[in-house]
């Protein structure tokens, strides 16, 4: 499909958008065009000048139903394209990469090429941060880098540890996998604790690497663990990550203890160690995706603010808890005083982390035993299932 055909699909998609957003494409006559929720599920499109859109609360069409929209104007992202030719060239390249990577051309016959491309465009928008809407060319370049990056590609069912006594003399096996289409990133990192005949799956990490920075979008329990004796023992063993952690009233320790899960702490500690082995020390944790939030907001039976609050706060607290175990890890989230979705505050900031040269957890014997086994293992071999 040509760039012009993609451009036409893109404009039609934005015009028919079922999520709130604005569009400002400088060379195409758009000027702060807003899409927002309205009564009875209908959408209204209106152009605003800069003062109206950013500074005049009275600039609201009489059809606007503020109660129905639930204050979405605070969160509506503005897509600003200063160089349309470069933007659509990058968009064309990224769509082609999605099709190739996920073999989406197999759906052309059933759904039509235009329909598939429209769905890819929705996926691209749904993975954008506020910063990405303001700098879309850099965003598209970064996602192209996500697809092309091979930093962790050598991890294919790879044993990264020796037998670990505190884990029932089991080993740790990792696998870098292509993620299913529609998730935030092309790749996900899988970590499992294996015995001769059983395995315990740790949470899966959705990540992308661009220009020596690892972007972490989510950590999720996607694989269920069988109810067997080995997995029950491992689950109990993982609770040892809480050993020696003071339950004081300091926000960054007490609340992270209450808001984090041992398997998540273990998975991220191992992932950090692997990143450092591969000379990656810059981390950005994506805490908020406005389009996905707006999608929740459009589902009236769900409390979008509560859901987003819980998702974001749990993610942030996990990394503050990790700082307790890796005290020489720098972490920066300047607006953090408990995560609140509030239109009067900046939202959507990344959590920025700088990893130390070596990942060590000297204040927790359990985690340190795992890291020592990983750091001292010289040969990494493919694990035959």
């Amino acid at each position: 499909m040509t760039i012009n055909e993609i451009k036409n699909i893109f404009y039609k998609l934005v015009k028919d958008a079922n999520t709130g957003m604005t569009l400002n494409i400088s060379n195409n006559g758009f000027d702060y065009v807003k899409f927002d929720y309205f009564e009875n599920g209908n959408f209204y499109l209106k152009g605003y000048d800069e003062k109206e859109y950013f500074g005049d609360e009275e600039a609201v069409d009489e059809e606007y139903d503020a109660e129905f929209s639930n204050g979405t104007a605070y969160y509506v992202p503005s897509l600003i394209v200063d160089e349309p030719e470069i933007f659509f060239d990058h968009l064309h390249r990224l769509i082609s990469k999605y099709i190739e990577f996920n073999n989406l051309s197999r759906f052309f016959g059933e759904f039509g090429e235009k329909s598939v491309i429209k769905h890819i465009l929705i996926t691209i928008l749904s993975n954008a941060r506020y910063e990405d809407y303001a700098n879309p060319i850099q965003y598209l370049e970064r996602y192209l880098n996500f697809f092309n990056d091979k930093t962790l590609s050598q991890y294919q069912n790879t044993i990264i540890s020796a037998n670990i006594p505190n884990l029932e003399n089991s080993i740790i096996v990792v696998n870098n996998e292509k993620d299913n289409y529609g998730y935030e990133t092309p790749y996900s990192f899988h970590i499992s604790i294996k015995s001769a005949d059983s395995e315990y799956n740790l949470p899966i990490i959705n990540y992308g690497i661009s220009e020596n920075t690892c972007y972490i979008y989510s950590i999720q329990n996607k694989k269920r663990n069988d109810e067997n004796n080995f997995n029950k023992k491992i689950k109990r063993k993982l609770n040892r990550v809480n050993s020696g952690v003071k339950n004081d009233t300091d926000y960054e320790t007490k609340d992270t203890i209450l808001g984090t899960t041992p398997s998540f702490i273990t998975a991220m500690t191992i992932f950090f160690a692997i990143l450092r082995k591969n000379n990656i020390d810059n981390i950005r944790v994506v805490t908020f995706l406005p389009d996905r939030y707006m999608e929740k907001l459009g589902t009236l039976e769900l409390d979008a603010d509560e859901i987003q609050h819980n998702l974001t706060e749990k993610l942030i607290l996990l990394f503050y808890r990790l700082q307790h175990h890796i005290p020489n890890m720098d972490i920066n989230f300047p607006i953090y005083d408990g995560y609140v979705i509030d239109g009067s505050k900046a939202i959507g900031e990344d959590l920025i982390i700088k990893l130390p040269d070596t990942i060590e957890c000297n204040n927790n014997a359990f985690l340190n035993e795992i890291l020592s086994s990983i750091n001292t293992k010289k040969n990494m071999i493919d694990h035959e299932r």
Side-chain angles (χ1 to χ4, degrees):
M1 183 163 286
T2 67
I3 291 177
N4 281 336
E5 288 172 320
I6 286 175
K7 187 184 299 186
N8 291 335
I9 295 172
F10 176 80
Y11 285 140
K12 188 176 188 308
L13 171 67
V14 173
K15 183 178 179 181
D16 298 337
N18 61 0
T19 57
M21 65 177 293
T22 69
L23 175 63
N24 180 11
I25 298 185
S26 58
N27 294 346
N28 289 273
F30 286 85
D31 183 29
Y32 298 107
V33 179
K34 186 174 79 171
F35 302 83
D36 210 345
Y37 291 97
F38 289 89
E39 194 170 6
N40 301 321
N42 294 321
F43 297 90
Y44 181 77
L45 166 63
K46 177 175 173 135
Y48 295 87
D49 63 27
E50 185 172 2
K51 180 181 178 181
E52 287 177 321
Y53 186 74
F54 289 106
D56 189 350
E57 293 181 357
E58 301 300 318
V60 180
D61 189 88
E62 62 183 4
E63 294 184 47
Y64 182 76
D65 186 330
E67 183 177 352
F68 183 86
S69 72
N70 197 22
T72 58
Y74 285 121
Y75 313 117
V76 175
S78 182
L79 179 63
I80 301 172
V81 180
D82 294 323
E83 300 176 276
E85 289 185 8
I86 297 176
F87 171 76
F88 283 109
D89 174 71
H90 283 36
L91 193 60
H92 180 261
R93 290 168 54 203
L94 184 55
I95 289 170
S96 298
K97 182 61 71 173
Y98 265 101
I99 292 171
E100 174 192 358
F101 189 84
N102 298 284
N103 190 25
L104 297 180
S105 59
R106 69 189 189 275
F107 297 114
F108 287 175
E110 182 177 0
F111 300 104
E113 186 177 6
K114 287 185 179 180
S115 179
V116 172
I117 289 174
K118 179 180 177 180
H119 200 279
I120 294 171
L121 286 169
I122 291 171
T123 299
I124 291 170
L125 290 172
S126 71
N127 292 330
R129 308 165 299 166
Y130 282 111
E131 179 183 336
D132 299 327
Y133 276 90
N135 302 282
I137 291 173
Q138 292 92 320
Y139 168 58
L140 298 177
E141 289 174 345
R142 188 174 75 250
Y143 256 80
L144 284 165
N145 291 341
F146 284 177
F147 278 103
N148 295 327
D149 183 80
K150 304 298 181 187
T151 303
L152 303 183
S153 61
Q154 75 269 29
Y155 295 101
Q156 300 296 320
N157 295 324
T158 303
I159 299 173
I160 62 166
S161 78
N163 289 354
I164 301 175
N166 262 324
L167 287 174
E168 299 293 301
N169 286 315
S170 57
I171 57 174
I172 296 175
V173 179
V174 299
N175 193 27
N176 190 63
E177 296 187 9
K178 288 175 62 173
D179 215 345
N180 294 327
Y181 168 72
Y183 282 102
E184 296 94 336
T185 56
Y187 294 102
S188 58
F189 204 78
H190 300 239
I191 307 170
S192 60
I193 300 167
K194 281 180 169 279
S195 68
D197 54 7
S198 297
E199 71 174 334
Y200 184 93
N201 297 300
L202 292 175
I204 293 169
I205 300 156
N206 288 86
Y207 80 96
I209 294 176
S210 174
E211 297 182 339
N212 206 46
T213 297
C214 180
Y215 293 78
I216 295 173
Y217 283 76
S218 64
I219 305 104
Q220 298 176 310
N221 278 317
K222 295 181 185 177
K223 289 184 178 179
R224 65 182 297 273
N225 289 306
D226 295 333
E227 289 290 330
N228 57 42
N229 288 334
F230 174 78
N231 285 346
K232 289 177 182 177
K233 289 178 182 179
I234 294 299
K235 188 175 182 179
R236 288 197 297 270
K237 298 275 189 179
L238 291 176
N239 288 324
R240 295 183 180 183
V241 301
N242 289 328
S243 176
V245 180
K246 294 180 180 179
N247 189 21
D248 58 30
T249 57
D250 183 81
Y251 193 82
E252 283 123 358
T253 56
K254 180 173 185 289
D255 282 3
T256 51
I257 290 170
L258 298 177
T260 55
T261 306
S263 61
F264 282 71
I265 299 165
T266 305
M268 282 309 309
T269 302
I270 294 169
F271 188 60
F272 277 175
I274 289 172
L275 289 176
R276 286 311 288 125
K277 275 181 174 286
N278 290 274
N279 300 313
I280 301 290
D281 59 0
N282 295 311
I283 312 292
R284 295 186 77 98
V285 182
V286 177
T287 65
F288 186 83
L289 295 174
D291 191 74
R292 292 179 184 249
Y293 167 72
M294 297 292 289
E295 184 178 1
K296 297 184 187 77
L297 205 61
T299 308
L300 296 181
E301 64 269 21
L302 299 177
D303 187 334
D305 283 357
E306 182 178 355
I307 292 170
Q308 187 64 57
H309 174 100
N310 292 337
L311 288 172
T312 303
E313 184 170 62
K314 185 175 182 179
L315 189 64
I316 292 170
L317 292 177
L318 170 62
F319 290 95
Y320 274 92
R321 169 63 184 271
L322 284 165
Q323 189 186 38
H324 168 82
H325 294 295
I326 312 170
N328 53 346
M329 176 183 93
D330 291 333
I331 186 168
N332 181 21
F333 193 68
I335 66 169
Y336 183 55
D337 57 357
Y339 192 84
V340 177
I341 292 183
D342 184 331
S344 64
K345 292 184 179 181
I347 60 175
E349 298 286 336
D350 289 347
L351 193 70
I352 302 171
I353 295 171
K354 181 78 169 180
L355 296 179
D357 291 340
T358 303
I359 305 300
E360 296 178 337
C361 294
N362 292 325
N363 59 11
N364 187 277
F366 176 76
L367 286 175
N368 203 49
E369 181 182 13
I370 293 174
L371 288 173
S372 295
S373 181
I374 292 172
N375 290 332
T376 58
K377 184 172 176 59
K378 295 180 180 179
N379 299 316
M380 294 187 178
I381 59 175
D382 287 341
H383 178 68
E384 296 181 0
R385 291 182 179 271

